[in-house]
Amino acid sequence: MSTQPKRVLVLGGTVYLSQTIARLAVERGHRVTVAARGTSGEPPAGAEFTAIDRSVPGGVDALRGKEFDAVFDVARIPAHVTPVLDALADRAGHWSFVSTISVYKHFHVVSDELHDPTAPDSTDPAIEVYGASKVACENLVRERLGDKALITRPGLIVGPGDRNDRLGYWPLRMAEGGEILAPAPRERLLQWIDVEDYATWLLDAADAGTSGTLDAIGHPIGMGAFLDGVGAALQEQGVIDAPPQLTWVPQEFLLEHGVNMWAGPDSLGMWVTTPEYDGHGSRPAGPAIAAGLRLSPLADTVARWWAANAAAPRLKAGLSRVKEGEVLAAFHGREPDPGLARLDRERRFAVPAPETPDYEG
Ligand SMILES: NC(=O)c1ccc[n+]([C@@H]2O[C@H](COP(=O)([O-])OP(=O)(O)OC[C@H]3O[C@@H](n4cnc5c(N)ncnc54)[C@H](OP(=O)(O)O)[C@@H]3O)[C@@H](O)[C@H]2O)c1
């Protein structure tokens, strides 16, 4: 989409999604300001940095009186939202707030029932109130900006820069070859949104003046189609020369043998259990697509991820080779392969503790 240069403010802009929004806005020729503490990462080249700290009184004074055509915010704490609204809302052309599908009260069914919001001045960073805090943040933005506000609720965001990187285990593990543990059933639905697709859409939506509240998520696909797609993408890239050798193991067996869902150590990335999360991977993508979201093919998402990570891979979710080998051996009723410890030592990547909530998204 061709756009006129605009004054764009990204509240955040030093990591992952907000950094991608800022980078793409610079690439579109906008005048981009990134406002953050500057402790988490770097603003993209070409963006101007304004130091703010939303957690202290007067911490956003540097923004007061400024004017922006489009503002993007990723805040998680309600008390961080009001000061920026006070400073900027009256003169902002469009306000895009990034929420989360964790605002929905239920994960076992697809339902639009929300958590009760926390207090609008809550400063509680606890993961237990993440969804309720985002509901409160959404309400503050909606009340102040009305039809200038677009609130989007992403599910799992995947792509380069993801600090939990639930996607990355699969291409990295497939690149190693051998028998690969996969969570049955193949039909288990999952969803994601590519960070680049999401940021592109938010910029387009600001240009179009889109308002309202929308989920930001791709179409549900089965775990089988997903893993086949990752394998096919790696074959296309020349990373592997044959389809990955997947062994599908039922959920009960995985849980009994200490395999975790979703993220972090001893997990199978992106896998969630049934029936507790049956609504988690099957929210409708149609409304966001009707509002302009364009979804990359999985092959492109994997290719971008691989290009960004292959040179220095960092495994942030997934199983060690020893753990995977033990589970597969138990499943087949045979002894584990003692050589797997060597493969773990040779891995160029390690599983650190997750830095942000395991189950975010
Ligand atoms: N990752 C997922 O799969 C997922 C899924 C669903 C929803 N979400 C939502 O998507 C968004 C992701 O945003 P993101 O990728 O940009 O990561 P993020 O970790 O939410 O980024 C927070 C940004 O805000 C800044 N910040 C934090 N505390 C601040 C403070 N006190 N004052 C000023 N700035 C502060 C940080 O920079 P400094 O630390 O440098 O200040 C950083 O740039 C979030 O809204 C998250 O809730 C994520």
Side-chain angles (χ1 to χ4, degrees):
M1 186 181 276
S2 78
T3 54
Q4 294 297 317
K6 285 186 168 176
R7 298 159 299 175
V8 168
L9 172 67
V10 181
L11 293 160
T14 56
V15 288
Y16 198 31
L17 172 66
S18 55
Q19 190 185 51
T20 306
I21 296 168
R23 174 174 59 78
L24 295 180
V26 170
E27 286 173 14
R28 287 181 181 206
H30 297 319
R31 275 185 282 143
V32 180
T33 303
V34 156
R37 294 164 304 180
T39 53
S40 299
E42 296 292 323
E48 183 182 306
F49 180 75
T50 297
I52 60 167
D53 185 347
R54 305 171 72 167
S55 65
V56 299
V60 304
D61 283 353
L63 295 173
R64 203 166 290 282
K66 300 212 169 161
E67 277 187 44
F68 295 97
D69 302 303
V71 176
F72 299 85
D73 190 14
V74 296
R76 299 154 190 258
I77 308 273
H80 291 187
V81 173
T82 302
V84 294
L85 291 172
D86 288 346
L88 299 163
D90 291 346
R91 287 177 306 283
H94 186 266
W95 198 283
S96 188
F97 181 73
V98 173
S99 184
T100 171
I101 59 160
S102 294
V103 293
Y104 297 118
K105 195 168 184 175
H106 305 294
F107 276 149
H108 68 290
V109 286
V110 176
S111 144
D112 288 346
E113 191 181 344
L114 300 178
H115 286 289
D116 292 332
T118 57
D121 57 353
S122 169
T123 56
D124 188 351
I127 189 59
E128 290 75 18
V129 296
Y130 173 56
S133 296
K134 284 284 204 183
V135 177
C137 294
E138 287 188 4
N139 290 344
L140 290 166
V141 172
R142 221 178 267 117
E143 281 158 18
R144 192 72 73 93
L145 272 303
D147 63 7
K148 285 184 184 174
L150 173 64
I151 291 164
T152 51
R153 297 172 174 163
L156 174 63
I157 305 170
V158 303
D162 180 359
R163 286 174 297 171
N164 287 312
D165 206 1
R166 290 143 287 201
L167 175 80
Y169 172 69
W170 295 108
L172 289 171
R173 177 65 191 88
M174 286 178 189
E176 290 179 335
E179 185 186 12
I180 298 172
L181 180 68
R186 286 179 58 91
E187 297 72 32
R188 181 80 182 82
L189 293 176
L190 66 156
Q191 281 175 295
W192 64 86
I193 184 163
D194 181 303
V195 67
E196 195 105 354
D197 295 350
Y198 187 21
T200 299
W201 177 44
L202 292 181
L203 288 164
D204 290 346
D207 285 341
T210 306
S211 62
T213 303
L214 291 162
D215 287 346
I217 196 70
H219 293 295
I221 74 165
M223 182 59 91
F226 167 68
L227 293 185
D228 291 348
V230 175
L234 294 177
Q235 271 189 275
E236 248 171 61
Q237 299 279 306
V239 177
I240 55 178
D241 53 18
Q245 192 193 327
L246 302 175
T247 295
W248 292 90
V249 174
Q251 167 176 313
E252 293 67 31
F253 196 91
L254 296 174
L255 294 175
E256 275 165 24
H257 288 79
V259 177
N260 297 321
M261 61 167 230
W262 194 235
D266 287 346
S267 68
L268 289 177
M270 298 174 74
W271 168 58
V272 290
T273 55
T274 184
E276 301 86 352
Y277 290 89
D278 279 357
H280 182 263
S282 39
R283 294 201 65 87
I289 291 168
L293 171 65
R294 296 288 166 263
L295 300 170
S296 292
L298 174 56
D300 292 359
T301 296
V302 173
R304 279 198 289 271
W305 187 94
W306 189 261
N309 291 283
R314 295 282 302 156
L315 186 60
K316 295 166 193 151
L319 299 177
S320 67
R321 295 300 300 270
V322 166
K323 177 77 180 174
E324 184 195 39
E326 285 168 1
V327 179
L328 284 169
F331 185 65
H332 292 304
R334 65 179 187 219
E335 287 301 308
D337 176 353
L340 291 173
R342 180 182 55 78
L343 292 182
D344 273 330
R345 285 195 297 276
E346 285 174 3
R347 267 184 167 173
R348 289 174 296 153
F349 37 90
V351 181
E355 292 160 17
T356 51
D358 290 11
Y359 56 90
E360 181 181 58

